[in-house]
Amino acid sequence: TDAVRKYAKEDYGKAADDMSPQDLYAYFVKRVKTYLHVVLAFSPIGDGFRQRLRKFPSLINCCTIDWFREWPSDALVAVAEKFL
C-alpha cells in the first residue's frame, strides 16, 4: 500500500495519508485502467491468424488494428539513429 500511497499523494496531497486500503486499491485500479496499454502483434499470414480471430472475436471488435507495411531500410536507420 505504501507504493500506491506515494502516487496517491501526488494526486491528493496530504489526504492520501488518510486513505484506507480499499481506497488505495480503488485508486490503483483507476490508474491501471487509465494508463495500461497492451500491444499484441500477430502475423496476418497463414491459418493461425484466422483461427485466433474466430476464437477471440474481441480482437476485432474491441481493438484498434494498425496495419504496418515494411519500412524502407533508410527510414529504419534514421529512426534508430534518432532514438537510440
Side-chain angles (χ1 to χ4, degrees):
T1 59
D2 291 332
V4 175
R5 192 177 310 275
K6 178 177 86 169
Y7 293 100
K9 282 184 179 182
E10 292 175 7
D11 290 342
Y12 298 116
K14 292 191 182 245
D17 292 333
D18 297 329
M19 292 175 78
S20 69
Q22 292 83 10
D23 293 335
L24 289 171
Y25 181 73
Y27 173 74
F28 172 76
V29 169
K30 178 181 145 198
R31 282 185 58 98
V32 167
K33 287 181 180 179
T34 302
Y35 294 109
L36 180 67
H37 301 281
V38 177
V39 176
L40 299 174
F42 295 106
S43 172
I45 299 171
D47 290 332
F49 183 63
R50 199 173 309 116
Q51 290 171 0
R52 277 189 212 97
L53 294 179
R54 284 191 193 119
K55 286 182 185 177
F56 308 103
S58 63
L59 288 174
I60 294 176
N61 299 333
C62 303
C63 295
T64 300
I65 299 175
D66 289 328
W67 297 96
F68 295 103
R69 301 204 182 269
E70 189 173 326
W71 282 34
S73 57
D74 58 332
L76 292 172
V77 170
V79 169
E81 288 175 346
K82 178 169 176 108
F83 292 105
L84 297 180

